[in-house]
Amino acid sequence: MASKEKHKIVFVTGNLKKLEEVKAILGTTVELTHHKLDLTEIQGTSREVSTDKCRRASIELNGPVITEDTCLCFNAMDGLPGPYIKWFIDKLHHDGINKMLSGFEDKTAYALCTFAYCAKPGTDPILFEGRTEGKIVPERGLKYFGWDPIFQPDGFDQTYAEMSKETKNSISHRYKALNKLRDFLNTNSS
């Protein structure tokens, strides 16, 4: 009986912290490399952004790719800032995000991760989503990874930034999406 061949996939990212997390979560399921592409990101939902980005990356790199879009959605703001959180963090920083919510009693939020996989150019991307419920809190923990210091997942008294990498990687929105991707790849191996 022949052993299953590993999928060789390019993760389109320039974020080395994100790459580190993805490799830790996927483990040996895939032979993962990465490539930074400056793709113009369309405006839209996380699903629309992910699909478009993955389709164009697969064409540009001429092979199988995964892309990711991560959102932080505030229930008080009907899901905003959503896929635009990166720009909100860049301009307002963590304290500014908390000030945005100061007029609302509801501080609940959810982290949403959408991975898109495209097997080859010209094929439709397949989407894998993971969602973690939580709340927005004043900044706590290390500040080196996006909005981790202000998101506290339900059932925990720590923010993502205060957790060990192992704990975060076992409960996060990214973990949940990648679990679905891993299951798909294992089911559809060469």
Side-chain angles (χ1 to χ4, degrees):
M1 181 180 211
S3 65
K4 291 183 179 180
E5 187 177 319
K6 276 190 194 181
H7 288 270
K8 294 179 182 179
I9 301 174
V10 176
F11 179 29
V12 179
T13 186
N15 184 327
L16 297 181
K17 290 285 181 196
K18 193 178 286 188
L19 174 66
E20 180 182 310
E21 270 192 17
V22 170
K23 281 185 171 184
I25 294 168
L26 283 179
T28 60
T29 304
V30 300
E31 187 177 317
L32 193 68
T33 58
H34 77 285
H35 191 90
K36 181 180 178 180
L37 285 179
D38 287 322
L39 297 169
T40 302
E41 202 167 282
I42 65 166
Q43 291 187 16
T45 66
S46 181
R47 294 175 71 82
E48 292 165 340
V49 170
S50 297
T51 298
D52 181 71
K53 196 172 13 176
C54 191
R55 185 178 286 121
R56 289 186 292 122
S58 181
I59 290 167
E60 191 158 331
L61 297 176
N62 195 31
V65 299
I66 57 173
T67 60
E68 182 207 34
D69 190 67
T70 299
C71 301
L72 186 59
C73 307
F74 305 153
N75 292 318
M77 295 182 174
D78 200 24
L80 290 174
Y84 309 110
I85 187 61
K86 176 182 174 182
W87 291 279
F88 278 71
I89 289 289
D90 285 349
K91 298 295 181 194
L92 301 175
H93 310 287
H94 298 129
D95 187 51
I97 297 294
N98 274 278
K99 286 178 184 172
M100 277 178 41
L101 282 173
S102 66
F104 298 94
E105 285 185 36
D106 186 357
K107 307 293 190 234
T108 61
Y110 58 93
L112 178 68
C113 180
T114 305
F115 270 90
Y117 166 71
C118 200
K120 61 184 177 181
T123 60
D124 288 331
I126 301 166
L127 302 181
F128 306 91
E129 289 184 326
R131 179 174 165 150
T132 299
E133 302 290 336
K135 63 184 174 183
I136 304 302
V137 298
E139 176 181 78
R140 299 192 318 253
L142 299 174
K143 301 177 188 178
Y144 66 81
F145 199 30
W147 41 263
D148 280 8
I150 61 169
F151 184 74
Q152 181 177 313
D154 286 350
F156 293 86
D157 60 0
Q158 296 178 310
T159 64
Y160 273 167
E162 294 174 299
M163 295 177 172
S164 69
K165 288 178 185 179
E166 295 77 23
T167 300
K168 179 188 173 193
N169 287 347
S170 71
I171 59 127
S172 75
H173 54 299
R174 184 169 289 123
Y175 167 79
K176 292 171 184 176
L178 286 171
N179 236 7
K180 293 174 184 176
L181 172 62
R182 180 180 36 235
D183 288 348
F184 172 82
L185 292 174
N186 285 336
T187 304
N188 296 285
S189 62
S190 306

